[in-house]
Structure formats: C-alpha cells, structure tokens
Amino acid sequence: MIVRDKPGPLQLLFAVRGSVLPHIWRELALVTLVAVAITAFDRLVQPLAHTGAAPFAVFGTALSLFLGFRNNAAYDRWWEARKLWGGLLADSRSLAREATLFLPDPALRHRLLRLNRAFLHLHRAQLRKLRDDPQAEAMTAAVPCPSLANSPNPPCAALTQMTLLLVQARNSGGLDGFGAMTLSDRISAIAQAQAGCERIAATPLPYVYSLLVFRTSWLFVLLLPLALIEPAGWLTPLFTGIVAYTFFGLAEVTEELAHPFGATANALPLDAICRAAEISLAPHLDEPAPAPLQPQDFRLD
C-alpha cells in the first residue's frame, strides 16, 4: 500500500510510484499511435467521415457510469478486506489479554499466543499464494507442530491446535468453564474473519464486468479520433491519449483494488499488520517487541 503525505503539484504530476501508468503505458502508446495515423490519413491523404461529438458524449457517459459502478464494487472488496484484517488484529490483542486472565500456566498461554501469531502469518501467506514464506516458516517453527506444515490448510490447522490446547487446559483443570467459553468465542471470531478473507480471495468480480469494460473502453478510444479530428486537428492524438489514460487507468485501478491481498502497490499491507500483531503479543510472550515495518520508497507491504 502506498503511504505518503499529500504530494506537491509537481510531485503529483510526475509521481510514478503507486501510479497505474507503468501498467498501461503500452495501451496508451498504441492508442496514441492509432490516433496519429488516423489524423495523418485524414489531413494528408483522404478526409475521413467526421462523426461529431454527440454519439461519443452519450457513449462516454454510459462507459463512465459503468466504470464507476465497477470501481465502487472493487473498493468495497478492498475496504471489507481491510476491516477483516483490522478485526484479526483486534482479536489477537484481546486473545492475549484474555489468556493472561484465564490461563495461569505460562507455558500453555505462550503456546496459545504463538499459535495465534503463526496463524496470522500462515493466513497471510495463503491469501497471497506464497508457498515458501520465510516469516510464516519462522513463526511455525516457534510452535513445533508437524500438523501445521503438513496440513492442506495450515491456518485452519493452527486454529485447531489452539482449540485442542484449550481442551487440554480445561481437562487438566487449568482453565475454568467461563474462561474456556470466552477464549473459544475469540477463536471463533478469528475463524469468521479468516473465512471472510477467503471468500474475497476466492470470489473475484464477475468476469463479464471486466470483459465488457475493456472491450467498450478499447472501442471508445479507437473511434474517438473520428470525433476529435475536426475540432482538435493535429492535437487529436493528445486528447485521445488523455481520455485513454482516464479510462484505462480507472480500469487498472479497479483491477488492483479487486485483489486486496495481491502483491501490487495498492494491495493491503498484510506484512505490516502482522508485525503490529507481533508487537502487541510480544509483552505477553515475555519477548522484546520487534520494530514496526516502515514504508520503503512510500510503499508499505
């Protein structure tokens, strides 16, 4: 995720970090070259049919509304994912406090919290489709448990181990019924947030939306020079490129927001959220707290 103060006018004009321009410059170049070819043919070889602006005004308005709808749907996914991870962070902190209250045995309490910490990193790695994640492996190694690494769903295995630990503590008399219910409810809340994240990751925006947006965007910008030649003349490629940047850029932003757990610059900073949880859990584990992650070149992963 891009984290920076409001840039100045020149920085805003030329900023590339976090911009969609590196992803769409080929499309912009192609559209501009087509506009140059159409303009040159019209001016130097044979006049083409000039359609006027009215049809494109109607077409452009409809396309803008559809792009706006798709962008809102994508942002809803991004914001819901952020709220779910905020809930995971809050539940991890509450679990640590409740474990301090209800689990007097330091060994059981520390194992529970280490399992929770491992769960967060395993969940992050699973959402990002990372097979070999050093941080997740390190957190798993801190809780010797073969079932975590060998499970088809390691985050679920971590939650299962947390529940089994509560069962063990309850059977041994180290946890009363109310404490077991409280801690179990907290693990259930974590599992619900996990399921919500998995739902977002496994259910993309309907493909027909993307197909319609990209087809109509290309059709619009390729035909647009026919409407701009008469009023704009040789400036037609410039205005066509500006319009193409708007439509293609908004479509690309929507694509990034629709995948909030990806590795793009505008995806959620899951590493930083997991580090925040580590910092909060460290005092309860009698460990030194790690330093918070800082943005690198305005990007926080």
Side-chain angles (χ1 to χ4, degrees):
M1 185 174 70
I2 299 299
V3 179
R4 64 182 303 174
D5 296 330
K6 182 180 178 180
L10 289 179
Q11 292 175 318
L12 190 63
L13 186 62
F14 295 105
V16 175
R17 189 68 166 176
S19 169
V20 296
L21 188 59
H23 302 286
I24 64 171
W25 70 268
R26 294 178 181 83
E27 290 87 344
L28 295 182
L30 177 59
V31 168
T32 303
L33 288 175
V34 170
V36 169
I38 292 175
T39 304
F41 187 89
D42 178 82
R43 294 293 178 176
L44 303 177
V45 181
Q46 175 70 35
L48 299 173
H50 298 170
T51 60
F56 286 90
V58 176
F59 189 7
T61 300
L63 180 57
S64 298
L65 291 174
F66 193 77
L67 279 169
F69 168 78
R70 185 170 178 267
N71 184 68
N72 288 338
Y75 182 78
D76 283 344
R77 290 167 55 85
W78 187 92
W79 183 238
E80 183 185 1
R82 182 61 186 89
K83 289 191 292 184
L84 288 170
W85 268 89
L88 285 173
L89 178 59
D91 284 330
S92 296
R93 290 168 172 168
S94 296
L95 179 69
R97 298 186 183 98
E98 292 162 356
T100 302
L101 180 62
F102 295 115
L103 277 176
D105 186 348
L108 289 177
R109 184 169 65 249
H110 289 180
R111 181 172 175 79
L112 178 69
L113 298 184
R114 289 194 177 100
L115 281 167
N116 178 65
R117 187 175 61 182
F119 160 80
L120 291 173
H121 283 280
L122 290 170
H123 186 41
R124 170 186 58 79
Q126 184 184 61
L127 291 174
R128 287 185 168 173
K129 300 179 181 179
L130 302 175
R131 291 187 176 181
D132 300 314
D133 183 74
Q135 193 69 3
E137 292 174 358
M139 294 304 167
T140 303
V143 189
C145 183
S147 63
L148 295 186
N150 300 328
S151 171
N153 192 323
C156 282
L159 293 181
T160 300
Q161 289 299 317
M162 292 168 68
T163 302
L164 292 176
L165 186 146
L166 297 183
V167 173
Q168 175 187 348
R170 181 79 175 97
N171 293 337
S172 65
L175 181 65
D176 60 26
F178 182 77
M181 182 181 66
T182 301
L183 293 173
S184 178
D185 287 345
R186 186 64 59 189
I187 295 175
S188 296
I190 293 173
Q192 288 178 0
Q194 175 200 15
C197 292
E198 291 175 343
R199 169 175 50 80
I200 294 173
T203 311
L205 285 176
Y207 177 69
V208 65
Y209 284 173
S210 299
L211 190 63
L212 182 60
V213 163
F214 283 101
R215 279 181 176 175
T216 52
S217 296
W218 274 103
L219 184 62
F220 182 86
V221 297
L222 290 177
L223 294 177
L224 184 60
L226 298 177
L228 296 179
I229 288 176
E230 187 171 343
W234 287 103
L235 291 178
T236 295
L238 173 62
F239 291 117
T240 302
I242 293 173
V243 173
Y245 173 76
T246 302
F247 285 148
F248 290 156
L250 187 56
E252 183 63 30
V253 168
T254 301
E255 198 66 23
E256 290 193 6
L257 293 181
H259 300 87
F261 308 121
T264 63
N266 294 297
L268 291 176
L270 301 187
D271 288 356
I273 297 174
C274 288
R275 177 58 61 86
E278 292 177 40
I279 294 171
S280 298
L281 295 178
H284 300 274
L285 291 168
D286 300 324
E287 297 176 355
L293 293 182
Q294 300 297 326
Q296 301 294 326
D297 195 15
F298 304 113
R299 175 171 174 170
L300 185 64
D301 289 324

